[in-house]
């Protein structure tokens, strides 16, 4: 057993603390704008957005949980709230009666489309307006490298086909959707 702990260098520590600060502060900034302007939490918006990007605006709940990095109970509660507002509907998966699908309704499509401009403006304001084009390219490379370790299958970024990740195997397609166990 190694008796010496591997500590972060001074530069690594500073960078790590800054990254943690971004990870803690950015979600609040995104959430508050969406709550104020769209009546949605950032998580609810992500659920709607992931469904809007899926074939037939439908995903299995397990695939949607993976795309939003949510536990099934957390996702189920959010989808129930969205169902109560007629933005999402759930139904049994035709390929596997043990699974449940979530589908974006027409009202949900309209909601995500109406909410997107404000969300995009907020993302621009907090992230991209403060970065040069070179920094945006660097950030893309940095996030790709980190996601290769954290999400090697590219599940969370599947609709956007990350440069280094394979296509999402969890995406619902009519005939070749994966079977849940």
């Amino acid at each position: 057993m190694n008796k010496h702990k591997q500590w972060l260098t001074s530069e690594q520590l500073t960078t790590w603390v800054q990254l943690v600060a971004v990870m803690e502060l950015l979600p609040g900034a995104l959430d508050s704008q969406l709550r104020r302007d769209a009546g949605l939490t950032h998580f609810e918006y992500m659920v709607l957005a992931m469904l809007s990007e899926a074939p037939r605006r439908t995903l299995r709940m397990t695939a949607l949980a993976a795309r939003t990095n949510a536990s099934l109970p957390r996702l189920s509660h959010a989808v129930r709230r969205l169902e109560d507002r007629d933005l999402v509907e759930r139904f049994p998966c035709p390929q596997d009666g043990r699974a449940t699908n979530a589908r974006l309704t027409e009202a949900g499509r309209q909601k995500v489309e109406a909410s997107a401009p404000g969300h995009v403006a907020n993302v621009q304001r907090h992230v991209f307006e403060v970065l040069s084009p070179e920094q945006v390219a660097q950030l893309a490379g940095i996030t790709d490298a980190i996601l290769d370790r954290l999400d090697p299958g590219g599940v969370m970024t599947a609709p956007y086909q990350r440069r280094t990740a394979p296509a999402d195997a969890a995406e619902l397609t009519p005939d070749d959707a994966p079977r849940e166990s």
Side-chain angles (χ1 to χ4, degrees), residues 13-123:
L13 179 59
T14 299
T15 303
W16 173 245
V17 169
Q18 291 172 330
L19 178 60
V20 169
V22 169
M23 291 186 314
E24 293 296 326
L25 294 170
L26 187 57
L30 299 174
D31 198 61
S32 63
Q33 177 274 320
L34 282 164
R35 284 179 185 271
R36 181 187 67 238
D37 297 345
L40 295 169
T41 65
H42 185 252
F43 181 69
E44 291 167 339
Y45 177 83
M46 290 305 298
V47 168
L48 297 177
M50 292 300 102
L51 288 172
S52 76
E53 297 285 342
R56 289 174 302 290
R57 301 186 307 224
T58 303
L59 287 171
R60 285 190 184 184
M61 288 289 286
T62 53
L64 185 55
R67 292 241 183 122
T68 57
N69 195 36
S71 67
L72 282 172
R74 178 183 186 208
L75 178 63
S76 184
H77 288 297
V79 169
R80 181 188 39 77
R81 289 190 307 271
L82 294 168
E83 280 181 305
D84 290 346
R85 297 167 64 187
D86 297 319
L87 302 175
V88 172
E89 59 187 357
R90 281 187 274 198
F91 60 96
C93 176
Q95 292 87 9
D96 182 352
R98 299 170 296 164
T100 300
N101 289 346
R103 177 172 39 226
L104 189 68
T105 64
E106 180 57 26
R109 184 193 63 76
Q110 291 173 8
K111 182 68 166 177
V112 76
E113 287 180 6
S115 304
H119 176 64
V120 169
N122 200 31
V123 169

Side-chain angles (χ1 to χ4, degrees), residues 137-159:
Q138 291 169 347
L139 183 59
I142 291 165
T143 56
D144 277 346
I146 294 170
L147 286 170
D148 280 346
R149 177 67 51 96
L150 297 175
D151 185 21
V155 173
M156 287 193 67
T157 57

Side-chain angles (χ1 to χ4, degrees), residues 123-168:
V123 169
Q124 288 281 4
R125 177 175 171 250
H126 289 293
V127 179
F128 295 108
E129 287 178 3
V130 298
L131 300 176
S132 69
E134 294 80 19
Q135 289 172 316
V136 171
Q138 291 169 347
L139 183 59
I142 291 165
T143 56
D144 277 346
I146 294 170
L147 286 170
D148 280 346
R149 177 67 51 96
L150 297 175
D151 185 21
V155 173
M156 287 193 67
T157 57
Y160 309 100
Q161 299 180 1
R162 229 173 65 225
R163 288 175 293 283
T164 57
D168 180 16

